[in-house]
Amino acid sequence: MDILVATSAALLAATPAPSADSAPLEIAAPPVETDAFRALDILSVLDLDFKLGAWTFHGYLQYDGAAYDQAPEGPPEADFRRGGVHRGDPLRAQNLSDGSYLRRARLGWEGTQGEHIAYRAMFELGGEDDPIESRIAEVWASYNRAPYTIQTGAYAAPTNMEGATSSDSTLFLERATAADLARSVGGGDGRIGVTVKRTNATSMAALSLTGPLLKDAEDYLPRAAIVGRYTRAMAWRKDYLLHFGVNGTYVLVPGHKTPEGQPKSFPIRFLNTPEIDVDDTPLIDTGDIDARHTTVLGAEFAAQHKNLYLQAEGFWFGVQRHGAVSGDPNFTGFYVQGSWILTGERRRFDRSRRAFAFPKPDAPLGKGGLGAWELGFRYSVMDLNYRAGVPGEVADPGGVRGGRQEILGAALLWYPRPRVRLMLNYLHVRVDRLNPAGLADPDPFGPPPSTPPIGVQIGQTLDIMAVRVRYSF
């Protein structure tokens, strides 16, 4: 769900131009420490920078683990909990798998050509389905002449505040559901596109035309969209920062597929895991909605006072149906999150992305301190129901029973060194969802008993404990 967001072209433009004799590999070592923690100086290797001429190398390793606390699994005739429709094991939602895996590993480089051109390429290794397959994560070039930047290639277009937050800096392991779904409609990881952006000290405006993903994608992902974002940030009083913004996406060309023996359809689909991807079973899922266009509108707010931080976004999703099915579905979602940094540091505000970045510890481990410690919370709601009807009956004509998901989360983050982060998340998840089976799709989870009775509750309440270890350079 997350991507290493492209570094600001304005910052890249400040990188010195290459010279003819700049080929040797440079490793900039940190100064030698002589304090009481001298025995921990070996940790300084984590702070190394890697350069080859005009190229600066970047990368990260991210390892996740999770344990799911659910009610005991029962027979499908009595235990009606289900996940995504027409997806693999229909009963997997009853017994989500504990475990750990390499969530993502990336390696690449960036550089400049002259004063105005910058570029970046990142390659990815990892994921639960293909842990050893490598692929291109992002590749782009940009032209910067302040205050304007033009960027093209495959990258994450500016969509919303949570979407613009680097995976180095997210407060929880995964982005809030509503923001992640809004990001995926026209943006997201490795989407081909072109962006024009204007940035100054107080505001940012970006307009993007995006296409398909660089790598193979699901049939329901959009093929072309217009994405826009506008924000303003201001220092309200001393040590105060306020951020306001709006964003939107309009899908010009939805996904397309041609089921065997049927005419081509143009689906859009919203589905998501409960904000932890160790088990990738979605618990809310609209199924395919045949669409002409899709619209997403969002509003952003954030505030910071010293080591306290608050952020919130709300989204409205509208789908214009294709064909004669009655009603155009619409869905809503929002989240509120914040943190308190116990050791006194503050989250840095990245003006190029218009998003908050992780705090740098004032006293890193091995340099006289124990790093930075941060406590966080989040309340997240995503409602994928539209004219869902009542329990025990089929949905209203044209209705969608995607489910309503509420998540209350707490986070503890430790930054022992500027490039190392350890995270502990607790999530309390509640999913309210009626069985979507009906006349148009009588067996969305397979033949009975895999598909339970009409209109029964197929949601659930569960708790999740999750951890992440991350190193980046």
Side-chain angles (χ1 to χ4, degrees):
M1 278 176 7
D2 71 76
I3 189 172
L4 186 63
V5 180
T7 305
S8 163
L11 294 178
L12 289 172
T15 304
S19 62
D21 57 352
S22 59
L25 179 66
E26 302 172 11
I27 302 179
V32 177
E33 299 294 333
T34 58
D35 55 58
F37 288 85
R38 187 179 181 87
L40 295 176
D41 274 351
I42 191 174
L43 295 176
S44 296
V45 71
L46 300 175
D47 301 331
L48 296 179
D49 292 322
F50 299 92
K51 293 185 177 181
L52 180 63
W55 290 358
T56 300
F57 288 88
H58 293 288
Y60 63 80
L61 295 172
Q62 188 168 292
Y63 197 84
D64 291 1
Y68 298 83
D69 183 14
Q70 299 175 276
E73 183 179 6
E77 295 84 359
D79 188 346
F80 300 138
R81 293 173 293 177
R82 301 293 188 271
V85 300
H86 303 292
R87 285 176 62 91
D89 181 2
L91 306 182
R92 188 169 177 179
Q94 301 176 9
N95 188 17
L96 300 175
S97 300
D98 301 345
S100 61
Y101 75 120
L102 181 65
R103 174 68 172 87
R104 185 170 288 124
R106 286 187 177 175
L107 177 65
W109 64 88
E110 62 186 27
T112 61
Q113 182 67 43
E115 296 182 0
H116 303 294
I117 297 176
Y119 52 86
R120 184 183 181 110
M122 295 291 290
F123 299 88
E124 182 173 310
L125 176 72
E128 191 172 33
D129 297 329
D130 49 4
I132 62 173
E133 180 183 347
S134 62
R135 52 197 172 275
I136 297 175
E138 58 176 309
V139 55
W140 54 263
S142 66
Y143 178 82
N144 175 71
R145 187 177 288 274
Y148 293 97
T149 298
I150 301 175
Q151 183 177 9
T152 186
Y155 57 96
T159 51
N160 55 63
M161 194 173 195
E162 182 81 335
T165 303
S166 166
S167 57
D168 257 338
S169 303
T170 54
L171 194 57
F172 285 75
L173 268 68
E174 306 296 341
R175 295 180 174 90
T177 301
D180 192 54
L181 290 179
R183 178 177 183 260
S184 69
V185 169
D189 300 2
R191 188 174 290 278
I192 297 171
V194 58
T195 297
V196 178
K197 182 168 68 172
R198 185 183 190 278
T199 306
N200 59 31
T202 59
S203 67
M204 186 273 287
L207 185 65
S208 306
L209 175 63
T210 65
L213 295 180
L214 182 65
K215 60 183 180 180
D216 292 338
E218 300 286 350
D219 290 330
Y220 57 83
L221 291 177
R223 293 300 191 266
I226 297 174
V227 181
R229 185 177 179 223
Y230 175 78
T231 72
R232 288 190 66 85
M234 63 195 76
W236 175 39
R237 291 166 53 187
K238 183 179 179 181
D239 294 324
Y240 284 84
L241 178 70
L242 289 179
H243 166 98
F244 301 92
V246 293
N247 55 74
T249 299
Y250 183 72
V251 175
L252 300 170
V253 181
H256 57 78
K257 68 177 184 178
T258 307
E260 186 176 353
Q262 298 183 23
K264 181 178 290 188
S265 60
F266 297 89
I268 190 80
R269 184 175 185 177
F270 300 101
L271 75 167
N272 215 308
T273 65
E275 297 178 7
I276 297 292
D277 285 351
V278 173
D279 188 306
D280 63 357
T281 303
L283 299 184
I284 53 173
D285 181 7
T286 62
D288 288 346
I289 303 172
D290 207 12
R292 296 197 316 270
H293 303 289
T294 302
T295 304
V296 181
L297 300 176
E300 312 171 8
F301 169 78
Q304 184 184 47
H305 175 55
K306 296 183 178 179
N307 57 335
L308 297 174
Y309 141 83
L310 181 69
Q311 178 176 315
E313 292 186 277
F315 301 92
W316 177 86
F317 302 76
V319 178
Q320 292 177 280
R321 271 195 165 117
H322 181 272
V325 180
S326 63
D328 290 334
N330 60 83
F331 314 106
T332 57
F334 71 91
Y335 73 91
V336 180
Q337 68 183 28
S339 77
W340 172 38
I341 301 178
L342 305 176
T343 46
E345 295 89 345
R346 66 175 63 190
R347 282 186 162 250
R348 298 165 294 125
F349 187 70
D350 187 333
R351 294 187 180 276
S352 64
R353 297 175 181 169
R354 288 311 196 263
F356 283 94
F358 66 90
K360 289 188 175 180
D362 292 335
L365 184 67
K367 293 187 176 183
L370 295 176
W373 292 81
E374 184 176 26
L375 284 176
F377 80 92
R378 182 160 75 195
Y379 178 59
S380 166
V381 175
M382 187 68 226
D383 191 342
L384 293 179
N385 289 323
Y386 170 74
R387 290 176 14 189
V390 298
E393 299 181 8
V394 297
D396 294 343
V400 178
R401 287 177 168 175
R404 185 178 192 273
Q405 176 179 273
E406 294 181 66
I407 301 179
L408 182 62
L412 174 64
L413 300 92
W414 180 34
Y415 309 86
R417 306 284 293 198
R419 297 177 178 178
V420 180
R421 180 172 65 155
L422 287 80
M423 305 173 68
L424 174 65
N425 285 184
Y426 163 74
L427 303 181
H428 178 71
V429 182
R430 182 177 182 272
V431 177
D432 182 5
R433 183 182 176 201
L434 299 179
N435 180 15
L439 296 177
D441 189 3
D443 298 324
F445 304 103
S450 292
T451 292
I454 294 291
V456 300
Q457 178 62 237
I458 63 171
Q460 59 180 299
T461 299
L462 70 150
D463 297 289
I464 308 173
M465 292 292 295
V467 296
R468 169 173 292 172
V469 179
R470 179 182 172 109
Y471 165 66
S472 60
F473 63 91

